[in-house]
Amino acid sequence: NAGVTQTPKFRVLKTGQSMTLLCAQDMNHEYMYWYRQDPGMGLRLIHYSVGEGTTAKGEVPDGYNVSRLKKQNFLLGLESAAPSQTSVYFCASTLLAGSPGELFFGEGSRLTVL
Amino acid sequence: GQNIDQPTEMTATEGAIVQINCTYQTSGFNGLFWYQQHAGEAPTFLSYNVLDGLEEKGRFSSFLSRSKGYSYLLLKELQMKDSASYLCAVMDSNYQLIWGAGTKLIIKP
């Protein structure tokens, strides 16, 4: 049971570098989310997708882009990394957003921007 | 604005009972969730409440009062493995989850 898989698990970037985080789920879920988690703060939604080919902005979208070309994959891109983007990033998925169904999270990707 | 408040940290003794409170102010309400997150790991689902009252699931129970904007998570017969952060989240009128900062629960022998 793979569930939600994130790659890479850890990454160190220099300011200005770019990178992509990959999230893959094998549960045929429609909704996928990218969150960041910082000390002393709740999970904050970066971008989300309600289905293949669709994406939408969350609470903190600036500096990030996303794509959902395939239903099972949701990519998060940082075009020009900044130290403020140092965080733990979590991908999550659920079957339908309006249902009481739980969110399934990936293990997290720890990103440090120097 | 939307706001979820929960205590930053709590300490309890193994075998005891602890109650973690969560108060919220959100644009609409479509349910309240509790998640458990062990250090360095992903959050995992514990409970969901959409109607007032108590939902019991083994050693864990969750209570909701919509009129008071209040919920609590009750953990009984505490075990060392219950040491974790407990996250409260409310689904607003747009079906978006608003998350609290989490309560770090420390269990002492």
Side-chain angles (χ1 to χ4, degrees):
Chain A
N1 267 357
V4 180
T5 303
Q6 292 181 229
T7 53
K9 300 286 191 294
F10 301 92
R11 185 75 188 268
V12 178
L13 289 177
K14 294 181 179 179
T15 297
Q17 287 185 317
S18 63
M19 75 160 295
T20 300
L21 297 175
L22 171 63
C23 177
Q25 53 92 6
D26 61 0
M27 297 173 283
N28 202 35
H29 284 171
E30 292 291 337
Y31 286 72
M32 296 186 74
Y33 307 83
W34 274 108
Y35 287 97
R36 59 178 291 172
Q37 188 174 41
D38 301 293
M41 303 182 73
L43 288 163
R44 291 185 291 169
L45 183 63
I46 304 171
H47 286 280
Y48 65 100
S49 169
V50 302
E52 181 179 316
T54 70
T55 62
K57 295 180 180 180
E59 179 187 356
V60 288
D62 294 342
Y64 306 95
N65 57 74
V66 288
S67 64
R68 182 111 181 258
L69 299 179
K70 294 183 179 181
K71 185 176 184 179
Q72 63 268 35
N73 296 337
F74 195 29
L75 278 63
L76 177 71
L78 286 72
E79 292 184 344
S80 179
S84 61
Q85 294 177 304
T86 294
S87 187
V88 180
Y89 292 85
F90 285 101
C91 176
S93 71
T94 191
L95 187 60
L96 292 171
S99 75
E102 61 189 275
L103 278 179
F104 292 83
F105 284 85
E107 293 180 340
S109 299
R110 298 177 182 278
L111 175 65
T112 301
V113 182
L114 302 176
Chain B
Q2 306 202 93
N3 194 52
I4 310 284
D5 285 319
Q6 48 182 135
T8 302
E9 186 174 298
M10 299 182 70
T11 303
T13 303
E14 189 176 16
I17 299 173
V18 71
Q19 177 176 311
I20 301 174
N21 295 326
C22 171
T23 58
Y24 63 89
Q25 289 180 309
T26 57
S27 302
F29 180 84
N30 280 300
L32 185 144
F33 294 78
W34 284 96
Y35 281 77
Q36 180 189 60
Q37 185 178 25
H38 286 101
E41 298 184 7
T44 55
F45 172 80
L46 286 178
S47 68
Y48 170 76
N49 294 69
V50 66
L51 299 176
D52 290 351
L54 187 68
E55 295 277 345
E56 297 187 77
K57 191 184 295 185
R59 294 188 299 114
F60 291 9
S61 302
S62 56
F63 172 83
L64 174 68
S65 170
R66 288 173 297 170
S67 63
K68 295 182 179 179
Y70 168 69
S71 173
Y72 68 72
L73 180 69
L74 192 71
L75 290 73
K76 302 177 184 176
E77 302 170 13
L78 285 170
Q79 302 175 9
M80 297 304 293
K81 67 178 182 178
D82 296 330
S83 291
S85 289
Y86 291 85
L87 314 181
C88 174
V90 173
M91 186 170 280
D92 68 11
S93 56
N94 294 319
Y95 293 97
Q96 296 295 337
L97 279 175
I98 311 301
W99 294 84
T103 299
K104 183 178 181 180
L105 178 62
I106 299 168
I107 309 296
K108 295 186 174 180

